[in-house]
Amino acid sequence: MPQNIAKSQETLDRLTLALDSGAFVDVQRMLNGMPPADIAHLLESSPPKFRNILWKLIDVDIEGEVLGELPDDLQAHFLSRMDAAEVATITEGLEDDDIADILQQLPDRITWEVLNSMDHQDRARLEQVMLYPDDVAGGLMNTDTITIRARLTLDVVLRYLRRHEDLPPMTDNLIVVNRSDQFIGLLPLRTLLVSDPATTVREMMVTDVNPIPVDTPDDEVARLFERNDWVSAPVVDEGGRLLGRITIDDVVDVIREDADHSFMSMAGLDEEEDTFAPFAKAAPRRAVWLGINLITAFIAAAAINMFQDTIDKVVALAVLMPIVASMGGIAGTQTLTVLVRGIAMGQVGHNNQNWLLVREVTIGVLNGFLWAAVVAVAASLWFADW
């Protein structure tokens, strides 16, 4: 077991023992001394009765950060118990995209109350993010950017940066725009720090970087980040006007969600499936896929029934039937796994799907003949009847 997973399990065990003994003060101290991501992991790893207790012990100052790390189901669970004032308090200081994700879990009435409680500038920035679905670049972006003009000298840019109390997280580039806020290029911070202060931004900026269109699907955004090794990237509208930027932490979330979706969909489950969801909630979700599987099982049974007379005469065929089902299931799982992975990585499209279909059929036929021959020899020796 990896060290961090073992440590998390050990922490959860200690918290559980402390909760069982009623030592809530100790639990609160332990809990609020942990990073928000670790607290979120503990909440996900706890049965429902412990989750509600742990949530009440979390300091208000970090509730928003913890909430942003939770899956949608758990977010909705805790948000359903809050009013607009509480939501506005815990989301204060969070990034725009994280706040937008949280507000999308709320009824429209509470969402508007939260928005109306913000100042005009914050509300305008957040509404811009909420215009877009969360599965496109516009829904992933953060409007907290630092922009500069190309005519400035690097010395002026440095003095401008020193006026800030802090820089936005994961700022590796300054974004260069014109008077109309249209994207022109990027000025890497490393270039800014080592170059002659008398040179201009125009001389040192990078212009061969393409910004991300606001309607780009999130999986394509993830592939762009992977292909170009980006830490952050600007997002623009159809006219090239800068809207915000996407950072690598949001892309990691997209990659993880896509991987979860690909893995869970193989069993007909939702990627947000809660390991500790109540049985009344989990059972109906699984029942749908089980029903579909039952239909295919009846089809297989009907095919076997067509050969009932033959099976009655040669009883050995009934003994060998589980082998056929097992080999067919494994072969199907292999094909499904390869293709789901290819789809997730964007490698499968209209230009190659026919080739892949022919390849998988060919592989199935070749392996079918190979293992049919092996089973035939084994069955002949086993039952002493060629």
Side-chain angles (χ1 to χ4, degrees):
M1 179 183 294
Q3 185 177 359
N4 58 340
I5 297 178
K7 185 178 180 181
S8 296
Q9 187 59 48
E10 181 184 348
T11 304
L12 181 59
D13 292 340
R14 286 193 290 128
L15 285 171
T16 302
L17 289 173
L19 284 173
D20 289 338
S21 63
F24 295 108
V25 176
D26 293 338
V27 172
Q28 188 172 27
R29 186 177 64 254
M30 292 167 56
L31 200 61
N32 292 296
M34 299 167 58
D38 288 348
I39 298 175
H41 176 71
L42 286 175
L43 288 170
E44 285 187 75
S45 305
S46 302
K49 68 174 183 177
F50 286 134
R51 284 175 178 169
N52 295 326
I53 298 173
L54 291 173
W55 179 258
K56 293 177 182 178
L57 298 176
I58 299 173
D59 288 345
V60 176
D61 294 343
I62 60 172
E63 277 187 353
E65 295 179 69
V66 174
L67 201 63
E69 299 288 343
L70 293 173
D72 291 347
D73 278 1
L74 278 182
Q75 278 189 6
H77 171 72
F78 291 122
L79 286 169
S80 65
R81 306 180 175 199
M82 301 181 191
D83 56 28
E86 290 175 307
V87 175
T89 300
I90 68 170
T91 55
E92 188 175 350
L94 295 182
E95 295 184 355
D96 297 334
D97 55 336
D98 292 331
I99 299 176
D101 289 341
I102 290 173
L103 294 185
Q104 286 172 352
Q105 305 293 329
L106 297 170
D108 290 343
R109 178 182 59 80
I110 297 181
T111 297
W112 285 117
E113 288 181 18
V114 174
L115 290 173
N116 290 331
S117 68
M118 298 178 175
D119 61 52
H120 176 73
Q121 186 177 4
D122 290 341
R123 182 168 63 250
R125 289 168 52 186
L126 187 56
E127 286 176 343
Q128 186 177 40
V129 176
M130 294 182 67
L131 286 173
Y132 304 99
D134 58 4
D135 59 352
V136 299
L140 295 174
M141 71 179 182
N142 192 321
T143 59
D144 191 8
T145 61
I146 296 182
T147 59
I148 55 175
R149 299 286 172 79
R151 59 180 173 78
L152 300 176
T153 64
L154 300 188
D155 181 53
V156 172
V157 173
L158 283 169
R159 284 189 278 119
Y160 168 66
L161 291 180
R162 292 190 187 103
R163 292 169 53 191
H164 290 75
E165 294 182 3
D166 194 12
L167 296 180
M170 301 188 189
T171 298
D172 59 327
N173 298 296
L174 304 181
I175 304 176
V176 187
V177 296
N178 61 18
R179 291 183 179 275
S180 302
D181 279 338
Q182 290 179 313
F183 174 81
I184 298 176
L186 298 175
L187 178 64
L189 286 183
R190 63 180 182 273
T191 301
L192 174 65
L193 294 174
V194 301
S195 300
D196 182 358
T199 57
T200 64
V201 172
R202 189 181 306 278
E203 295 175 82
M204 305 307 299
M205 69 181 184
V206 179
T207 57
D208 59 351
V209 176
N210 293 321
I212 299 176
V214 70
D215 56 354
T216 304
D218 58 0
D219 55 348
E220 179 61 25
V221 171
R223 283 192 286 273
L224 287 171
F225 267 75
E226 179 187 13
R227 195 176 304 141
N228 296 285
D229 294 328
W230 287 339
V231 174
S232 66
V235 178
V236 297
D237 62 14
E238 293 179 357
R241 189 171 65 89
L242 180 70
L243 298 177
R245 68 186 184 116
I246 297 174
T247 53
I248 187 64
D249 58 324
D250 297 312
V251 174
V252 170
D253 290 340
V254 170
I255 294 172
R256 186 198 64 199
E257 289 169 4
D258 285 349
D260 287 346
H261 174 74
S262 298
F263 179 74
M264 299 294 280
S265 62
M266 292 174 64
L269 298 175
D270 191 339
E271 64 267 25
E272 297 289 346
E273 181 75 17
D274 184 1
T275 305
F276 296 95
F279 66 87
K281 188 176 182 180
R285 290 180 175 180
R286 300 189 188 185
V288 174
W289 188 249
L290 289 171
I292 295 172
N293 186 70
L294 181 62
I295 293 173
T296 61
F298 274 127
I299 294 173
I304 293 172
N305 185 60
M306 294 170 60
F307 299 94
Q308 182 177 356
D309 294 339
T310 304
I311 293 173
D312 288 340
K313 296 176 182 177
V314 186
V315 180
L317 293 177
V319 177
L320 298 174
M321 278 167 50
I323 296 176
V324 177
S326 176
M327 295 293 285
I330 293 172
T333 300
Q334 288 176 337
T335 299
L336 183 63
T337 302
V338 170
L339 291 182
V340 167
R341 177 179 177 273
I343 293 171
M345 296 179 66
Q347 297 173 342
V348 179
H350 294 293
N351 62 320
N352 57 23
Q353 62 183 12
N354 290 334
W355 187 92
L356 286 171
L357 177 62
V358 172
R359 189 195 75 151
E360 292 302 321
V361 170
T362 304
I363 291 173
V365 170
L366 292 176
N367 276 328
F369 278 116
L370 170 64
W371 294 108
V374 171
V375 172
V377 172
S380 298
L381 296 174
W382 186 1
F383 296 103
D385 185 351
W386 69 271

